[in-house]
């Protein structure tokens, strides 16, 4: 007589993946024990009692760890934080061996270009500048490269790269791929999902979001790379301050709200700017809060615009709650292929009608 087989246990329902806005609020929190703080406290410590995992303040800090957990969860990898965005850039460039070739956009952030130029002048590596919108040319440049550095959108030209195609070609050539995700943030773009090896952030910008912190970050899914980069940070000491880490994590909690509002404002301003006679071009990649406009009357009109706005602040940084603008060619290191009259707008979270009234009034005075 046949016997019934024991019933198979009902599989547990999988935990649904959290949305990015929820991760921004919940990740990097302390354990929920009675009377525990909701936020990770600021740990001001240079020295630790021996015998644990940290040992010394250059090797770790609980406040950094909380931020790294949160940003790593948002990007989909493991995060390391640094004293600044350029400290993070320098740490990645240390991966390139002697005389290694780095492929980089011709319109990348000037700090990155200047670091590469300095290293090339000292014989440490070689660079090849590319137009990231020409995917075939970038793919061809990957041959013999050690590192392919991408920005998408680029700063300040706002060009968009085919990250997945370029990454596949770079890997076939044996190169690492890095994406500077400062402009897009992990809410609008997650390059690690396209196979990218490393994501870099100037956390000074959107992640912290209030123009009061300098910090950088690197995120990777590769445990070996993470270990190498942490070793470099430990050795060089390019570490963030605990208070800066705490401020950045606090800013991260509202990243989704700020990006949503800034993007909505940017989209509306782009629509209105398209018809203004003072402009010869409006550049917008279709997402995010950065817009670049080109004044038809060139450098003089662009400088005039920077002096005439009341709400828009003339400043070189971006990604804060306040709206700012800058003529990028005022910096000697900016690429000569950037128009003299290009003004980069970092759209904030103010009322869009107030922003438009201020910008339109200033532009009206720049019509030739």
């Amino acid at each position: 007589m046949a016997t019934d087989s024991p019933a198979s246990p009902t599989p547990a329902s999988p935990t649904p993946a959290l949305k990015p806005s929820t991760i921004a609020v919940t990740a990097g929190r302390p354990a929920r024990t009675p009377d525990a703080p909701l936020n990770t406290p600021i740990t001001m410590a240079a020295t630790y009692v021996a015998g644990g995992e940290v040992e010394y303040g250059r090797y770790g800090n609980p406040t950094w760890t909380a931020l790294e957990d949160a940003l790593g969860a948002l990007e989909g990898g493991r995060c390391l934080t640094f004293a600044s965005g350029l400290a993070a850039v320098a740490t990645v460039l240390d991966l390139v061996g002697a005389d290694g070739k780095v492929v980089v956009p011709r319109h990348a952030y000037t700090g990155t270009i200047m670091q590469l130029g300095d290293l090339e002048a000292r014989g440490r590596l070689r660079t090849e500048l590319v137009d990231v919108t020409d995917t075939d040319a970038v793919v061809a440049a990957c041959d013999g490269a050690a590192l392919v550095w991408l920005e998408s959108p680029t700063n300040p030209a706002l060009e968009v790269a085919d990250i997945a195609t370029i990454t596949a070609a770079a890997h076939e050539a044996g190169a690492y791929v890095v994406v500077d995700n400062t402009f897009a943030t992990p809410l609008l773009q997650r390059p690690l999902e396209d196979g990218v090896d490393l994501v870099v952030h100037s956390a000074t910008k959107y992640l912290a979001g209030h123009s009061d912190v300098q910090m950088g970050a690197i995120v990777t899914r590769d445990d070996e790379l993470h270990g190498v980069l942490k070793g470099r940070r430990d050795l060089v000491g390019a570490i963030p301050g605990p208070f800066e880490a705490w401020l950045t994590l606090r800013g991260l909690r509202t990243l989704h709200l700020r990006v949503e509002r800034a993007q909505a404002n940017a989209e509306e301003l782009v629509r209105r700017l398209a018809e203004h006679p003072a402009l010869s071009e409006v550049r917008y990649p279709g997402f995010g809060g950065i817009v670049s406009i080109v004044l038809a009357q060139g450098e003089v009109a662009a400088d005039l615009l920077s002096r005439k706005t009341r709400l828009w602040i003339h400043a070189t940084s971006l990604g804060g709650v306040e709206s700012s603008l800058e003529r990028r060619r005022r910096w000697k290191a900016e690429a000569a292929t950037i128009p003299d009259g290009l003004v980069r707008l970092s759209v904030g979270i103010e009322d869009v009608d107030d922003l438009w009234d201020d910008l339109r009034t200033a532009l009206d005075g720049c019509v030739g």
Side-chain angles (χ1 to χ4, degrees):
M1 179 177 172
T3 57
D4 293 335
S5 299
S8 299
T10 302
S13 299
T15 302
L18 297 178
K19 302 296 190 295
S21 56
T22 303
I23 293 172
V25 173
T26 59
R29 298 278 187 182
R32 295 186 184 183
T33 56
D35 288 333
L38 291 183
N39 300 305
T40 299
I42 305 172
T43 300
M44 301 297 291
T47 307
Y48 296 83
V49 177
E53 295 182 358
V54 178
E55 293 282 358
Y56 185 58
R58 189 158 30 86
Y59 305 144
N61 182 287
T63 317
W64 307 350
T65 301
L67 171 59
E68 290 168 352
D69 287 348
L71 182 52
L74 277 173
E75 283 285 9
R78 297 181 67 189
C79 176
L80 288 165
T81 49
F82 292 81
S84 67
L86 281 178
V89 169
T91 304
V92 172
L93 295 181
D94 272 347
L95 295 172
V96 181
D99 200 40
K101 173 182 166 183
V102 179
V103 177
V104 63
R106 60 178 180 163
H107 295 150
Y109 167 52
T110 54
T112 302
I113 294 294
M114 290 172 70
Q115 280 205 26
L116 285 165
D118 174 68
L119 291 170
E120 187 166 32
R122 292 190 282 122
R124 262 274 289 111
L125 50 74
R126 295 172 289 118
T127 62
E128 182 169 343
L129 298 177
V130 293
D131 175 356
V132 295
T133 66
D134 187 343
T135 302
D136 290 342
V138 180
V139 167
C142 291
D143 185 37
L147 182 71
V148 176
W149 189 286
L150 297 176
E151 288 183 9
S152 187
T154 56
N155 179 9
L158 301 183
E159 300 147 327
V160 176
D162 183 343
I163 294 174
T165 299
I166 295 170
T167 297
H171 285 167
E172 188 172 344
Y176 287 126
V177 181
V178 184
V179 170
D180 185 332
N181 207 28
T182 299
F183 276 20
T185 82
L187 298 184
L188 303 177
Q189 176 174 273
R190 284 165 49 105
L192 295 178
E193 294 178 350
D194 287 322
V196 165
D197 301 290
L198 298 157
V199 167
V200 169
H201 281 278
S202 172
T204 306
K205 313 301 194 294
Y206 281 106
L207 299 183
H210 293 78
S211 303
D212 54 9
V213 171
Q214 285 201 310
M215 181 169 289
I218 303 171
V219 189
T220 181
R221 288 180 171 176
D222 186 315
D223 289 339
E224 183 177 356
L225 271 178
H226 182 276
V228 170
L229 293 166
K230 185 182 184 304
R232 291 299 301 164
R233 185 183 70 175
D234 292 351
L235 184 63
V236 175
I239 58 174
F243 184 51
E244 286 77 7
W246 183 85
L247 281 173
T248 302
L249 181 55
R250 186 174 70 163
L252 200 69
R253 301 302 186 201
T254 59
L255 176 64
H256 53 296
L257 299 175
R258 292 183 284 103
V259 168
E260 181 180 309
R261 177 59 176 260
Q263 179 170 269
N265 281 352
E267 290 171 347
E268 177 59 21
L269 289 174
V270 166
R271 186 185 68 80
R272 300 183 189 188
L273 285 164
E275 302 300 324
H276 200 284
L279 303 179
S280 62
E281 188 179 359
V282 178
R283 301 185 183 188
Y284 184 62
F287 59 93
I290 306 296
V291 179
S292 287
I293 56 177
V294 180
L295 277 291
Q297 298 300 314
E299 174 184 345
V300 173
D303 284 335
L304 179 63
L305 174 66
S306 300
R307 296 195 301 269
K308 289 294 185 180
T309 56
R310 179 177 55 87
L311 290 177
W312 293 80
I313 302 165
H314 185 205
T316 195
S317 195
L318 55 94
V321 293
E322 64 286 317
S323 294
S324 62
L325 78 173
E326 180 185 37
R327 185 177 75 85
R328 286 301 302 167
R329 284 291 299 281
R330 76 188 184 97
W331 298 100
K332 292 181 180 179
E334 191 62 76
T337 45
I338 295 297
D340 280 329
L342 183 144
V343 175
R344 185 186 64 197
L345 308 177
S346 174
V347 182
I349 65 172
E350 305 94 336
D351 183 274
V352 71
D353 289 326
D354 290 336
L355 290 175
W356 171 243
D357 288 344
D358 185 39
L359 190 57
R360 181 195 60 206
T361 300
L363 284 170
D364 286 347
C366 299
V367 178

